[in-house]
Amino acid sequence: MVSTGLVIVSLLTGYGVYFNIYNKINQEEIDFDEWGDRPSRVDGVMNIMIIGSDVRSGDNAAYGDAEGERPDTLAIAHISPEKKAATVVNIPRDSIVDQPACEPKGDKPGQQAHTAMIGEAMNNGGVECLWKTVESLTDVHIDHFVSVDFTGFKEMVDALGGVTMCIPEPIQDKNAGHLDLQAGEQKLDGEEALGYVRSRKGQGDGSDLSRISRQQDFMGAMLKTVMSGDVLSSPTTLNSFLGSVADSLTTDDGLTVSTMGDIAVAMREVDLDDIEFITVPNGPHPADPNRVAWSEPKASELWQQVASDEIGGGSKDEGGGSGGGGGGEEEKVDPSQVSVEVLNGTSIPGLADEVSTGLTTRGFQPAGTGNPTGQVPPETTVYYGPGQEAAAKAVAKTFTNGTTEENAALADTLQVVVSQDWDGFKASSGGGGGSGGGGGSGIDSKSASDAKVACG
């Protein structure tokens, strides 16, 4: 969530307004003296730790009474001026990780080295301990951090007059501010948007991973809203938004006006298509399936790409695409015109909902979920009716493994049967196919321009 504000402030620094809001930003001193050797830094590259804080004190008391402060959202924003690209790597809050020892910080008691959910580092030692933990886990040099709380995020959305989203199915979640949304295209105000990005139990399979996917989609929609002509051409709306960003942000004291200017220079050349969202490769933790373990070696390979600036902007112009099939021109497919029903042919609960959500975030139209009747194919298969082969291939290309087969009994709606060979989505295979982003990481990702705003 906070990456949206960071990116937007960076993009708008050229308007000369950042200097007017800088003094409103809260800053925190970070002491690196006792950290020992830190990861090496790549010249010209900026890695920023972005935090959506779950603090419940002060103006945030209305959102519960949990003690302490942990990252409700945690990610690394990798900005690469040379590639004219930005990559936001989300770290699931349910990740069980090895954490280093941290000294006490202010009212934080500090911690001994131990294994726990990643948010415990922030609760025990503040942002400084979380920063140290992330660097030790990823071997990525973090240059700065930016944090925003619930109230700040809500105010950002309200300053824009709301953000338009496509809500695939009705949502009711009493644990997310009594969220109650109807299906369809609608403009979310700040309170609704906060509930939407925080909601877990009321959507999909109820996991933090599916919630991350929705947050990424919302960030893309918010960026689209801010970068629309209406917002940029309205001084009142622009100043209100930037003021709400400033009031809600906390950064390290090294993130100066000059540094923000450097980020702005880098970000001016970055299009929405070149802002990618990725989640660290992961799976259920062996000791607790409700928690997350990073998948190796894929996670380490991803972080190595971030650390060495080998991610983002690499394969979008290479034309290879991410799907199978031979050469030659392929028919262009508009995902928003493709309706897909997903059937779960496995014993994994909620998998059809998960796959349907993944397709929706890639622009396809959801047409319900369920279980297949009769024999389940050995491979995950996209069944299509007459004249729908190109659409079926576009869907299949989003999968790591998938095939297509004609079924004359079907009309315009495609039918996906997820089989035991299911292995997730491909990298940046955004519906129409062929973008292949992620710098060749082979890890599921999507660009900000993929955000599902309109339902039709």
Side-chain angles (χ1 to χ4, degrees):
M1 297 181 290
V2 67
S3 59
T4 309
L6 169 65
V7 169
I8 292 163
V9 169
S10 302
L11 287 169
L12 298 179
T13 301
Y15 288 79
V17 295
Y18 182 72
F19 292 92
N20 297 327
I21 66 173
Y22 179 74
N23 289 332
K24 298 181 182 179
I25 296 175
N26 300 310
Q27 293 200 315
E28 181 174 326
E29 182 179 357
I30 304 296
D31 184 4
F32 303 102
D33 290 345
E34 297 183 1
W35 286 25
D37 293 335
R38 295 181 62 202
S40 57
R41 187 178 186 277
V42 177
D43 288 341
V45 169
M46 190 81 70
N47 294 309
I48 302 174
M49 182 171 68
I50 51 183
I51 304 166
S53 170
D54 74 350
V55 65
R56 302 307 212 282
S57 59
D59 292 339
N60 299 285
Y63 300 103
D65 55 3
E67 294 183 0
E69 180 181 13
R70 299 169 181 81
D72 196 57
T73 301
L74 178 63
I76 305 300
H78 174 79
I79 302 172
S80 177
E82 183 176 343
K83 290 184 171 64
K84 298 180 180 179
T87 304
V88 179
V89 184
N90 283 85
I91 299 174
R93 64 173 295 171
D94 289 346
S95 298
I96 301 293
V97 296
D98 294 332
Q99 303 187 22
C102 294
E103 296 294 323
K105 178 80 172 182
D107 61 350
K108 306 293 185 182
Q111 66 179 28
Q112 298 296 317
H114 70 298
T115 300
M117 287 176 60
I118 193 165
E120 287 302 304
M122 184 174 178
N123 194 53
N124 293 335
V127 171
E128 185 171 306
C129 184
L130 181 63
W131 188 331
K132 181 179 180 181
T133 298
V134 170
E135 282 200 348
S136 70
L137 291 169
T138 65
D139 204 30
V140 171
H141 182 96
I142 306 300
D143 298 284
H144 301 286
F145 89 87
V146 184
S147 175
V148 69
D149 58 25
F150 294 150
T151 299
F153 174 77
K154 182 177 69 174
E155 290 176 350
M156 281 193 282
V157 175
D158 283 336
L160 293 175
V163 173
T164 300
M165 289 287 293
C166 175
I167 308 300
E169 298 177 350
I171 304 169
Q172 290 185 323
D173 189 347
K174 64 180 182 180
N175 295 317
H178 296 282
L179 183 66
D180 187 357
L181 298 176
Q182 300 302 309
E185 183 179 324
Q186 54 195 290
K187 181 174 285 189
L188 306 184
D189 63 23
E191 196 70 54
E192 291 169 333
L194 179 61
Y196 178 76
V197 298
R198 290 185 61 215
S199 172
R200 289 180 62 163
K201 303 303 181 184
Q203 302 184 66
D205 61 2
S207 71
D208 186 45
L209 301 177
S210 62
R211 186 182 72 148
I212 286 174
S213 180
R214 292 190 296 272
Q215 289 176 347
Q216 293 170 339
D217 208 40
F218 185 87
M219 284 191 280
M222 195 170 178
L223 281 167
K224 283 184 177 182
T225 301
V226 173
M227 296 176 72
S228 70
D230 291 344
V231 173
L232 296 183
S233 63
S234 169
T236 301
T237 302
L238 183 59
N239 289 333
S240 176
F241 176 80
L242 289 172
S244 66
V245 172
D247 289 339
S248 68
L249 291 182
T250 300
T251 75
D252 59 284
D253 58 355
L255 192 55
T256 62
V257 170
S258 175
T259 304
M260 284 300 300
D262 292 340
I263 298 174
V265 170
M267 291 299 299
R268 284 194 198 114
E269 301 297 321
V270 179
D271 296 328
L272 282 176
D273 284 336
D274 298 312
I275 301 175
E276 282 192 306
F277 300 109
I278 296 176
T279 303
V280 178
N282 64 82
H285 194 278
D288 185 350
N290 295 315
R291 298 291 179 251
V292 167
W294 294 1
S295 299
E296 297 295 353
K298 285 186 178 181
S300 293
E301 291 169 354
L302 169 64
W303 291 124
Q304 175 56 37
Q305 289 177 328
V306 174
S308 56
D309 193 27
E310 295 175 356
I311 196 167
S315 55
K316 292 186 178 182
D317 298 322
E318 294 170 9
S322 59
E329 288 292 319
E330 291 189 11
E331 182 180 339
K332 280 280 188 179
V333 173
D334 180 358
S336 69
Q337 301 303 310
V338 180
S339 179
V340 188
E341 179 186 29
V342 181
L343 304 179
N344 184 1
T346 77
S347 59
I348 303 172
L351 184 57
D353 287 338
E354 180 181 328
V355 174
S356 181
T357 298
L359 289 171
T360 301
T361 62
R362 287 159 176 79
F364 295 98
Q365 292 293 314
T369 59
N371 298 104
T373 57
Q375 188 172 358
V376 175
E379 296 178 281
T380 295
T381 303
V382 184
Y383 293 98
Y384 62 94
Q388 297 294 313
E389 182 177 7
K393 286 184 176 180
V395 171
K397 285 172 68 174
T398 70
F399 302 153
T400 299
N401 51 331
T403 188
T404 61
E405 183 177 326
E406 185 170 3
N407 180 348
L410 294 177
D412 293 336
T413 297
L414 305 181
Q415 190 177 78
V416 174
V417 177
V418 185
S419 300
Q420 294 295 338
D421 69 332
W422 173 253
D423 195 30
F425 288 93
K426 283 182 180 175
S428 282
S429 44
S435 69
S441 65
I443 294 167
D444 185 34
S445 67
K446 55 187 172 184
S447 73
S449 63
D450 291 333
K452 188 65 174 164
V453 176
C455 290

